[in-house]
Amino acid sequence: MSQTSEKERCINNYNYLFRKDLLQNKVAFITGGGTGIGFTIAEVLMRHGCDVVIASRRLEKVKESAATLSAETGRRCLPLQMDVRDPKKIQAAVSEAMKQFEKINILVNNAAGNFLSPAEGLSFNAFRTVMDIDALGTYNVTKVIFDEYMKKHGGVIVNITATLQVRGQVFQLHAGAAKAAIEAMTRHLAVEWGEKGIRIMCVAPGPIEQTEGFSRLGGKAMTREYVENIPIQRVGTREDIANTVLYVVSDAAKLLTGTTIIADGGSWLTSENNLQRIKKIMTNQSKL
Ligand code: NAP
Ligand code: COA
């Protein structure tokens, strides 16, 4: 769990594309909402009238981020300590959230763990750890919030996946397997829970600048050639992903369930996935 302790910052001059009251009176529960993409999803939902719970392992981090988010948006943000691998901790956190807000209309399963590793370099525990956080963690939180609230009242669930699993990305066996499991789970639950007024979707980011995931997965070695290889000629931003989630949870997306929105500027279609070339890029990176 060794991530940087830099304070999260809100978006400069956020450009409102939707009505500011789009999510008025809604409550969202966002795992891993204290940092990175999850933080910006929390910010953008709050900017549209939503109150938010952000939950992850580091209480100090979610507390600090909740204060930043509330100060910027004027909405309530409840920080809670929770490990998505621990059903008892999740139950306690969800029960605290229900006590404070009396509802959870939106769940964003964003918490994840990842690192670059060749398949042959993964220990049993390394593979299991990523499956546990990403796939089981998504199931665990979804189950608790379904039981506690959505079963009776409906809601929208957004699972943050990735594009690694689509083409079998080099050195990403563990995360690709986990994200593929989440996408399958999403389809199963869409089929069973549609009649309860629950929509469940995946949003799959490509490379997103200024994130932990980006720096772990080779972002530091980004070259001009890499960027030119992306159809829209740039990497994604946290705001891009937050706006995609905003659309998915809004009533504008009422017909969407059981599918994945890939939000990556077309990157998965053209990105590098050659073992020898990626090994070379990584060797050059380690010399930087
Ligand atoms: P990040 O800032 O490291 O976000 C991960 C969050 O998950 C952290 O806030 C972390 O907080 C929390 N977390 C990790 N393990 C947890 C656990 N066991 N229980 C509860 N919370 C846990 O990374 P990010 O890059 O923004 O990634 C966010 C999401 O986007 C992930 O699902 C990732 O797979 C996806 N994604 C990112 C990119 C990218 O380019 N960044 C690309 C594709 C997909 P604590 O340490 O406090 O627990
Ligand atoms: N390469 C190969 N194996 C690795 C690794 C790497 N870079 N990093 C960790 N592992 C292995 C560990 O060696 C351990 O296996 P072992 O017991 O056989 O030695 C296993 O993974 C679990 O590591 P541990 O540090 O105990 O797990 P944790 O639960 O404390 O942390 C991680 C989970 C490893 C995913 C950690 O990086 C994390 O907390 N990540 C969250 C942030 C993040 O990844 N953000 C990006 C999201 S895209």
Side-chain angles (χ1 to χ4, degrees), residues 54-196:
I54 56 174
S56 77
R57 296 167 298 178
R58 290 171 296 159
L59 184 60
E60 285 315 310
K61 178 47 85 179
V62 278
K63 273 187 177 168
E64 175 190 83
S65 293
T68 306
L69 288 165
S70 286
E72 178 71 22
T73 65
R75 303 302 310 184
R76 288 173 71 196
C77 182
L78 175 67
L80 294 174
Q81 197 279 329
M82 184 187 95
D83 190 320
V84 296
R85 293 169 285 192
D86 183 343
K88 284 213 160 61
K89 285 261 173 71
I90 301 166
Q91 276 160 341
V94 169
S95 148
E96 181 58 28
M98 286 298 294
K99 208 186 289 169
Q100 300 271 342
F101 294 112
E102 297 177 338
K103 57 185 168 187
I104 299 171
N105 311 101
I106 296 162
L107 163 63
V108 182
N109 284 305
N110 161 81
N114 198 5
F115 42 79
L116 279 178
S117 173
E120 68 179 68
L122 288 169
S123 67
F124 290 108
N125 192 34
F127 184 82
R128 186 176 52 230
T129 297
V130 173
M131 290 297 283
D132 270 353
I133 300 173
D134 295 22
L136 278 153
T138 294
Y139 171 75
N140 293 338
V141 183
T142 300
K143 177 172 171 49
V144 172
I145 290 183
F146 173 79
D147 289 342
E148 290 301 314
Y149 188 79
M150 289 191 182
K151 185 178 182 172
K152 285 205 184 116
H153 306 277
V156 187
I157 301 168
V158 181
N159 297 324
I160 305 301
T161 56
T163 57
L164 313 164
Q165 66 282 7
V166 183
R167 294 192 300 149
Q169 186 65 34
V170 168
F171 300 155
Q172 286 288 270
L173 168 70
H174 43 308
K179 298 296 193 184
I182 296 170
E183 293 192 345
M185 207 184 320
T186 300
R187 292 187 287 273
H188 287 283
L189 293 178
V191 170
E192 290 196 27
W193 291 354
E195 65 174 17
K196 297 183 192 302

